[in-house]
Amino acid sequence: DSGVTQTPKHLITATGQRVTLRCSPRSGDLSVYWYQQSLDQGLQFLIQYYNGEERAKGNILERFSAQQFPDLHSELNLSSLELGDSALYFCASSLGQSAAYEQYFGPGTRLTVT
Amino acid sequence: AQRVTQPEKLLSVFKGAPVELKCNYSYSGSPELFWYVQYSRQRLQLLLRHISRESIKGFTADLNKGETSFHLKKPFAQEEDSAMYYCALSGSGNTGKLIFGQGTTLQVKP
């Protein structure tokens, strides 16, 4: 699959725990984006990386952090999890750093915090 | 503040009827507006953007800066148009940050 891949597909964990979500961008894409989709907040932008550097930040909680590695894959770390963090987390990638470049979305990771 | 509003959670029409999915935005500068679509069991994908002024799958959207709207229209709905539609805005300079609306589910009945 040459598209955006995300692992795991599903994750069930308890409050207070820490998890790591992984994203591999499309081949050749330098930007990676993370979005959170919850029932009450809708689809919200969290953070963008471009070629390893943080490029833009949304309303990302301090308990959340992300990074993009030299091979361009990205990880989103969520710590001290709360029930409200249960959501679908999408990764997207694009060739460039601006909105002029189409974003391609992954299938998402569904996180359930119990 | 940047905001995108899609007032309808659900829009249900019959096949062959015209469709208009509403999108209003709040942004002080010159925004870039997009429509994304998610079909059942598929990924979120770009449908169209106002800059390209294209018609994709029969859908068009015109940016109306006076009314701060970017409504999505199609003259004759098809059953395969049933999906979740998101309006999105980018206005953050040289970044790809997108602000999404809450989405509208379009249901086209036979």
Side-chain angles (χ1 to χ4, degrees):
Chain A
D1 184 0
S2 58
V4 178
T5 60
Q6 291 186 247
T7 56
K9 282 188 178 178
H10 304 278
L11 199 47
I12 302 174
T13 189
T15 54
Q17 294 299 305
R18 173 190 167 95
V19 297
T20 297
L21 311 184
R22 182 187 168 103
C23 168
S24 292
R26 288 189 330 150
S27 178
D29 284 356
L30 298 177
S31 268
V32 168
Y33 309 80
W34 287 98
Y35 293 89
Q36 179 193 55
Q37 185 177 42
S38 59
L39 282 174
D40 54 344
Q41 298 285 338
L43 194 57
Q44 291 214 311
F45 169 81
L46 293 178
I47 198 163
Q48 175 193 1
Y49 280 84
Y50 175 75
N51 205 21
E53 300 289 326
E54 184 184 300
R55 196 67 192 91
K57 219 167 182 176
N59 294 328
I60 187 168
L61 299 171
E62 284 191 16
R63 301 183 286 109
F64 294 3
S65 66
Q67 60 184 128
Q68 186 179 28
F69 294 86
D71 67 352
L72 301 176
H73 90 272
S74 178
E75 292 181 356
L76 178 67
N77 299 295
L78 316 176
S79 61
S80 303
L81 285 168
E82 301 175 359
L83 294 177
D85 297 328
S86 296
L88 195 52
Y89 291 84
F90 287 108
C91 172
S93 74
S94 66
L95 179 62
Q97 59 184 335
S98 78
Y101 295 91
E102 181 173 347
Q103 293 183 29
Y104 296 86
F105 282 76
T109 291
R110 183 168 295 282
L111 173 66
T112 302
V113 183
T114 62
Chain B
Q2 300 173 15
R3 189 182 304 123
V4 175
T5 303
Q6 294 179 248
E8 303 137 330
K9 274 194 170 179
L10 172 66
L11 183 63
S12 188
V13 301
F14 284 102
K15 176 183 170 182
V19 169
E20 182 177 67
L21 295 158
K22 291 185 167 50
C23 172
N24 289 91
Y25 66 90
S26 173
Y27 183 69
S28 56
S30 292
E32 292 185 57
L33 274 298
F34 308 82
W35 276 99
Y36 277 79
V37 62
Q38 187 168 28
Y39 300 101
S40 179
R41 297 190 196 87
Q42 292 189 28
R43 303 179 183 201
L44 192 63
Q45 58 187 284
L46 179 66
L47 180 62
L48 56 78
R49 65 179 78 193
H50 88 272
I51 286 178
S52 60
R53 301 183 68 79
E54 292 175 297
S55 171
I56 307 293
K57 298 185 179 183
F59 284 98
T60 59
D62 290 318
L63 179 59
N64 186 324
K65 292 188 177 180
E67 295 183 359
T68 59
S69 69
F70 187 58
H71 303 328
L72 184 67
K73 300 177 184 178
K74 184 169 184 176
F76 308 103
Q78 303 299 315
E79 287 181 68
E80 55 265 29
D81 295 328
S82 294
M84 185 74 160
Y85 291 80
Y86 293 94
C87 182
L89 172 155
S90 173
S92 300
N94 198 24
T95 79
K97 175 181 176 180
L98 292 177
I99 307 297
F100 283 89
Q102 292 285 80
T104 298
T105 298
L106 174 63
Q107 184 184 69
V108 181
K109 296 178 286 189

